[in-house]
Amino acid sequence: MDKRQHASVLLSWYDEHARVLPWRVGPKSGRDVRADPYHVWLSEIMLQQTVVKTVIPYFETFLARWPTVFELAACDQEDVLKRWAGLGYYARARNLHACAKVVVSRHDGVFPSDEQQLLALPGIGPYTQSAIRAIAFGKRAGVVDGNVERVIARLYALKKPVREIKSQIQDKAFALTPASRPGDYAQAMMDLGATICTPKRPACARCPLQENCLALKGDCAAALPVRAAKKPKPVRTGTAFLVLREDGCVLLRQRLDKGLLAKMLEVPSRGWIEGQKNARNESAPVQAQWQQVPGFITHTFTHFHLQLDVQCAHVSADHPVLAAADRARCRWVPRHELGEQALPGVMRKILSHGFGEPL
DNA sequence: AATTCGGGGGG
DNA sequence: CCCCCAGAATT
């Protein structure tokens, strides 16, 4: 099967099996209908390392709140962080807002179709750049994400660690990309990887490319691609402090501008340290009579496990926050407004555990 | 070239 | 539990 047949077979499969997604136009709604670059960009940022099902409700919320890049560029960053809360990788949200501002201020609100201009925008890397050019502008770009990486590795039975053959995979992906409907082709490859050519137990019997697949021929599809061994995740422990004011407000604090969960809100805590020796050096955010909440919460980040116990205290309305440096970042939030704050998943777990009920 | 960034769904 | 996901930025 040559390259033209490959693309033709895959596009036929896509025309019949394509999933209906809110940012996707077609494929049956017409040949030259291209998706709105703003929609494509927004969805692609959200889809970085995040599965389609998780993204859909966030995409709908963002589009309803900010119909165009102009509204998004004009809003406050914290508003973006609030609506991104729970989606993870929060640098994406900060870069999203920064990118919108640049597109408005330097490109008159029109997304560029040029590779270098796209790469210059915050949050847009090699993958997102090519996806936008193919899907929104109909350019012939080699779109390689984790799905395509796996499909290509199997099609050609590439048995070296993918780390070492990135450029080879990129070259083959581009070579296979047709001049017509490159956006549909890219989405077809990704859909194939997500639904047929899955990491474990691929459904080769239902694959439109089975005649073309060297891995299937060599009976090694499930073993590809070869990825580097992962390092074990250490366990960090600490204590969270849930401060309840008599008027029903909870003490929250904005995190630092850099690092884990940067600029998001948090329940004040100490520790997050491997082992337990130095966990008692830092102090609580206020002086109070602390009461241990029975049990603990656990949360797993990309590179460590976290286990926190939760201490709870009730304070009066004029109670001072201890650390002067913290006061600027601290705020009292009514309990019924917690759900709409820029609180990451782990912070919501802490609050739910402390209150004994979901936010 | 390695590490740092979240969170959740599926085996 | 472990895997990986429409990756990018930083070191």
Side-chain angles (χ1 to χ4, degrees):
Chain A
M1 191 183 293
D2 65 22
K3 290 168 192 168
R4 240 186 64 242
Q5 290 172 316
H6 161 85
S8 173
V9 168
L10 190 62
L11 283 168
S12 297
W13 173 82
Y14 183 69
D15 287 338
E16 191 174 348
H17 294 96
R19 294 177 288 178
V20 178
L21 303 175
W23 50 83
R24 182 175 281 180
V25 179
K28 294 174 181 172
S29 55
R31 288 173 195 269
D32 279 340
V33 177
R34 293 171 189 167
D36 185 328
Y38 174 63
H39 298 184
V40 174
W41 165 70
L42 178 59
S43 66
E44 292 299 344
I45 300 299
M46 289 182 166
L47 286 162
Q48 289 167 6
Q49 293 292 286
T50 310
V51 291
V52 165
K53 185 181 178 184
T54 303
V55 164
I56 289 175
Y58 283 88
F59 178 82
E60 303 281 21
T61 298
F62 269 64
L63 206 56
R65 175 67 183 83
W66 300 292
T68 74
V69 71
F70 294 101
E71 287 91 1
L72 181 57
C75 79
D76 291 331
Q77 185 191 54
E78 179 157 6
D79 202 353
V80 178
L81 296 181
K82 283 180 180 178
R83 293 170 198 268
W84 197 277
L87 195 54
Y89 285 150
Y90 298 98
R92 293 185 297 172
R94 288 178 268 125
N95 284 331
L96 183 85
H97 192 227
C99 182
K101 285 179 173 295
V102 174
V103 168
V104 166
S105 64
R106 305 172 85 111
H107 299 281
D108 295 323
V110 180
F111 276 86
S113 61
D114 175 72
E115 176 174 347
Q116 294 309 319
Q117 292 189 54
L118 283 169
L119 286 173
L121 294 169
I124 296 183
Y127 162 77
T128 305
Q129 162 270 130
S130 58
I132 291 174
R133 286 197 298 135
I135 299 170
F137 294 108
K139 306 284 188 184
R140 183 167 175 263
V143 180
V144 180
D145 72 330
N147 289 303
V148 176
E149 209 170 70
R150 183 172 56 254
V151 172
I152 298 283
R154 287 173 176 170
L155 276 178
Y156 295 96
L158 304 177
K159 297 180 180 178
K160 294 181 184 174
V162 288
R163 261 300 218 331
E164 304 172 13
I165 56 173
K166 289 270 187 188
S167 65
Q168 185 182 355
I169 292 176
Q170 177 67 47
D171 291 345
K172 290 191 177 298
F174 178 73
L176 288 173
T177 302
S180 76
R181 301 179 65 188
D184 282 346
Y185 172 81
Q187 294 178 89
M189 286 286 277
M190 295 190 280
D191 268 18
L192 186 74
T195 62
I196 304 284
C197 196
T198 51
K200 302 167 189 173
R201 300 175 51 128
C204 300
R206 290 189 288 123
C207 181
L209 304 179
Q210 52 184 282
E211 294 176 25
N212 200 22
C213 183
L214 294 182
L216 176 58
K217 197 167 295 183
D219 196 29
C220 60
L224 299 179
V226 177
R227 300 191 188 279
K230 309 200 164 160
K231 297 203 297 189
K233 294 178 180 180
V235 177
R236 300 186 191 178
T237 60
T239 299
F241 297 97
L242 189 50
V243 188
L244 306 177
R245 209 166 60 176
E246 56 188 355
D247 64 354
C249 287
V250 181
L251 179 63
L252 297 180
R253 182 174 58 188
Q254 187 182 33
R255 289 175 62 84
L256 301 180
D257 294 344
K258 292 184 177 180
L260 187 70
L261 307 177
K263 295 191 176 181
M264 299 295 285
L265 289 188
E266 67 176 353
V267 178
S269 64
R270 72 179 173 201
W272 296 53
I273 293 170
E274 211 175 325
Q276 56 258 31
K277 281 198 170 179
N278 301 325
R280 300 292 163 185
N281 287 344
E282 307 160 68
S283 57
V286 303
Q287 217 159 37
Q289 287 209 322
W290 295 103
Q291 190 154 8
Q292 172 88 351
V293 178
F296 54 89
I297 69 106
T298 62
H299 193 78
T300 299
F301 292 95
T302 309
H303 51 291
F304 66 92
H305 299 286
L306 180 65
Q307 183 181 114
L308 298 176
D309 66 310
V310 180
Q311 308 269 358
C312 187
H314 296 263
V315 302
S316 59
D318 58 351
H319 202 87
V321 174
L322 282 186
D326 268 9
R327 272 178 219 140
R329 288 183 171 273
C330 282
R331 62 183 82 169
W332 294 96
V333 177
R335 185 173 163 179
H336 61 88
E337 293 178 12
L338 290 175
E340 58 202 74
Q341 300 300 315
L343 289 162
V346 63
M347 301 303 161
R348 291 168 188 266
K349 279 188 187 176
I350 293 169
L351 292 164
S352 300
H353 185 243
F355 290 129
E357 63 181 31
L359 299 186

